[in-house]
Amino acid sequence: MNREYHLSFCKICINRKPSLKEGLICSLTGKIAEFEKECANFKIDGLELEKIKKRFEIEINDKYAITKLESLFSEREFEKPEKNRNRKYLTKEKTHGLEFKKDKNYDKQILVMIGIIMVMLLYGNYINGFSWDLNSANIIGVLIMLFLSFYYFYKAFYHNYKTLITIDENGIHQEEKTLYWNNILDYGIIRGKGNNSMEKKIIIGTISSGIQEINISELNVTPEEFIEIIQLNKKTIYKNI
């Protein structure tokens, strides 16, 4: 495990000790953490954990929360979801091994739109008696749409998009960054409105690195499904503190 994983324990442990050289060390060993999964000397500091929770709430309110009046003019809204009633995964084990990529439904939607445009161009060409050769702008438009349709047909049904997020028993892996389950304190959803209606972000408050954003706007997972994954896997050792 890396330093960030260790700090998710050390920052709320009563045995923590500041160090000018290392940042935070264990007062019992005089060294930075070196444990694997769990620390045998870990004892939670409830007061420090509450401070971090309150700090997260303040940061969320300052950065994302808006009043009802402001929401009328805002292009985004923030919500802190409750437990999902329409559960998809049921157990945390069923979420391990999940991979999220760009959603091919967007390519399929574009393909449908291209088809509609092609039909409109052909119909316009027919009822107006335009020429059916390259002298007709409509026919040129149809050929362009036909080329695009081949491109998006390939993307929608054959192209294999790169995996952007994976889920396992340790946490959420995004490129070279991992957000460990025990590091998560709180979470919420940002949804876009109006021109930004496609925007969807998961906001996560962590112990070791403050607020983290995960953009799932174009991925093959809904905000509700992603929140369910977090709820199933999030460690509960801090729940009643």
Side-chain angles (χ1 to χ4, degrees):
M1 294 298 180
N2 62 23
R3 180 64 171 158
E4 186 171 344
Y5 177 79
H6 292 147
L7 285 175
S8 65
F9 286 88
C10 297
K11 281 195 171 184
I12 54 171
C13 178
I14 62 173
N15 297 316
R16 69 186 183 281
K17 179 181 178 182
S19 166
L20 293 176
K21 184 179 179 181
E22 304 292 351
L24 203 64
I25 61 174
C26 178
S27 62
L28 300 179
T29 65
K31 301 177 181 179
I32 63 171
E34 297 178 346
F35 59 88
E36 289 295 324
K37 292 280 188 177
E38 305 288 342
C39 176
N41 298 318
F42 175 70
K43 291 183 179 179
I44 196 164
D45 184 340
L47 291 177
E48 183 62 22
L49 180 60
E50 281 301 319
K51 287 180 183 178
I52 294 175
K53 283 183 177 180
K54 289 179 180 178
R55 190 184 310 142
F56 171 68
E57 290 178 1
I58 292 171
E59 288 176 356
I60 282 290
N61 288 331
D62 288 345
K63 191 172 183 180
Y64 303 109
I66 54 179
T67 66
K68 290 184 178 180
L69 179 60
E70 289 172 333
S71 68
L72 297 176
F73 306 98
S74 174
E75 294 184 345
R76 295 170 181 83
E77 59 184 2
F78 174 78
E79 63 178 275
K80 297 183 72 172
E82 300 295 332
K83 195 165 185 178
N84 190 1
R85 295 180 180 180
N86 301 315
R87 299 175 64 184
K88 178 178 180 180
Y89 301 109
L90 300 180
T91 65
K92 66 180 182 180
E93 287 74 21
K94 290 187 177 181
T95 69
H96 299 163
L98 288 175
E99 297 182 349
F100 299 119
K101 308 176 181 182
K102 184 176 178 181
D103 192 350
K104 289 190 174 185
N105 282 329
Y106 293 109
D107 296 322
K108 294 176 182 177
Q109 291 170 9
I110 293 174
L111 189 60
V112 171
M113 291 175 61
I114 290 172
I116 293 172
I117 293 172
M118 286 178 63
V119 170
M120 292 175 63
L121 289 172
L122 288 170
Y123 180 70
N125 214 63
Y126 172 75
I127 63 172
N128 290 290
F130 297 147
S131 67
W132 290 85
D133 55 32
L134 292 181
N135 291 322
S136 170
N138 275 15
I139 295 303
I140 294 175
V142 168
L143 292 175
I144 293 173
M145 291 298 106
L146 184 62
F147 173 78
L148 289 174
S149 69
F150 286 130
Y151 173 71
Y152 280 101
F153 183 85
Y154 166 75
K155 289 186 70 177
F157 296 101
Y158 295 101
H159 180 66
N160 186 23
Y161 281 111
K162 176 184 176 182
T163 298
L164 299 175
I165 295 178
T166 58
I167 307 294
D168 64 20
E169 66 275 11
N170 295 316
I172 303 167
H173 304 275
Q174 189 174 19
E175 295 180 347
E176 297 180 355
K177 182 178 181 180
T178 297
L179 186 56
Y180 296 101
W181 299 123
N182 67 291
N183 200 8
I184 297 175
L185 277 181
D186 208 347
Y187 42 83
I189 302 172
I190 287 182
R191 302 180 197 268
K193 298 191 295 184
N195 294 331
N196 295 330
S197 60
M198 300 299 290
E199 180 183 14
K200 297 177 183 65
K201 291 182 180 179
I202 305 299
I203 307 301
I204 298 176
T206 68
I207 295 171
S208 66
S209 52
I211 294 176
Q212 301 292 309
E213 293 185 4
I214 300 179
N215 192 340
I216 62 169
S217 301
E218 296 186 353
L219 302 188
N220 56 337
V221 60
T222 67
E224 289 74 22
E225 289 170 352
F226 207 95
I227 290 297
E228 182 186 348
I229 292 169
I230 294 174
Q231 290 171 336
L232 286 170
N233 286 278
K234 180 176 171 289
K235 301 295 184 181
T236 58
I237 57 173
Y238 320 129
K239 186 175 181 181
N240 296 318
I241 300 299

